[in-house]
Amino acid sequence: MSRPDRRRRYWNEPTMGWWERAYLFEILRGLSVTGGVFTRNLWRWMTGRKGALTTYYPEEVRKDFARHNRGKHVLTQRPDGSPQCVACNMCATVCPARCIEIEAIFDPADEAHPKSPSRFEIDYSRCIFCGMCVEACPEDAIRMVPEVPNLPSTDRHHMWLDMDELLNWRPQSDVAKPYPPAPRRDGGDAP
Ligand code: SF4
Ligand code: SF4
């Protein structure tokens, strides 16, 4: 004999009074909220102000990312400006989207860090921003920052970020280590 279906009751299941059960009043209340927002935004638009939180891309680009947003990868650097990455490929191996490509070079003269990347590229048309590459890195060489790169393109080959772009991260301060100053625009040495 099959058991009758039992509907699970949630611990915080709401109880409705006759007002909610009648539905019509709640539908009218919802329409009044929606209509109020619509009318306010329409009035602002008619008076030359920005109403809704719509971003008119590409004329406008959002900058108000949350502090914990993870929208772009960066490669950290040693105090001499070289990448901290040792080209171990762990990030590329763990990446579920298979969107990190690394080519390594070997420098026997550098005893401390003989291996480093000559090419480090991320395909943002496939990245799912899961952060597993950051978790896997044993060198704190790859991190994610709140900013979002200007990605939209009609050609997905333009959505690859290369090492120059990934190394172009110069935080004001880094709790983990001192950071190399940005090179001077006139080509001279950094102060
Ligand atoms: S965030 Fe996830 S999908 Fe994107 S490169 Fe890192 S591991 Fe791959
Ligand atoms: S970023 Fe980290 S995990 Fe990826 S290759 Fe470099 S050192 Fe290895």
Side-chain angles (χ1 to χ4, degrees):
M1 200 176 86
S2 62
R3 285 172 49 192
D5 284 344
R6 283 197 198 137
R7 192 160 161 235
R8 183 194 291 262
R9 288 190 68 85
Y10 294 101
W11 63 271
N12 60 348
E13 192 159 296
T15 51
M16 291 194 291
W18 71 269
W19 180 266
E20 285 93 358
R21 285 175 190 278
Y23 288 115
L24 182 63
F25 305 112
E26 287 298 284
I27 289 172
L28 291 176
R29 191 166 71 88
L31 285 175
S32 72
V33 172
T34 310
V37 173
F38 172 77
T39 309
R40 191 185 66 209
N41 286 335
L42 183 65
W43 174 248
R44 287 189 177 178
W45 178 74
M46 289 170 66
T47 53
R49 290 173 296 164
K50 188 172 167 64
L53 290 173
T54 309
T55 301
Y56 300 113
Y57 186 84
E59 291 83 8
E60 294 177 359
V61 179
R62 281 190 69 169
K63 297 283 185 197
D64 57 337
F65 301 118
R67 195 162 56 89
H68 299 298
N69 183 50
R70 295 293 175 256
K72 181 178 181 259
H73 300 77
V74 293
L75 290 176
T76 58
Q77 300 171 35
R78 299 202 171 90
D80 65 359
S82 61
Q84 184 137 322
C85 174
V86 293
C88 68
N89 254 309
M90 285 180 68
C91 54
T93 305
V94 79
C95 174
R98 297 278 184 273
C99 62
I100 302 179
E101 291 190 7
I102 303 168
E103 284 175 16
I105 48 172
F106 188 74
D107 179 10
D110 186 347
E111 290 183 3
H113 315 100
K115 211 170 150 198
S116 62
S118 61
R119 184 171 81 91
F120 195 117
E121 293 184 358
I122 299 179
D123 181 1
Y124 275 80
S125 71
R126 288 186 288 160
C127 175
I128 56 171
F129 303 93
C130 63
M132 288 180 72
C133 49
V134 179
E135 297 293 324
C137 180
E139 294 287 326
D140 183 26
I142 185 168
R143 299 186 196 169
M144 295 181 83
V145 293
E147 291 79 37
V148 174
N150 191 17
L151 289 175
S153 166
T154 53
D155 183 351
R156 64 175 57 195
H157 291 103
H158 292 161
M159 299 173 77
W160 286 80
L161 258 58
D162 61 14
M163 206 155 88
D164 287 344
E165 174 75 30
L166 295 169
L167 277 172
N168 190 24
W169 182 60
R170 310 216 172 258
Q172 298 294 310
S173 63
D174 186 345
V175 290
K177 58 196 178 68
Y179 225 74
R184 277 173 34 185
R185 287 179 183 276
D186 58 9
D189 292 335

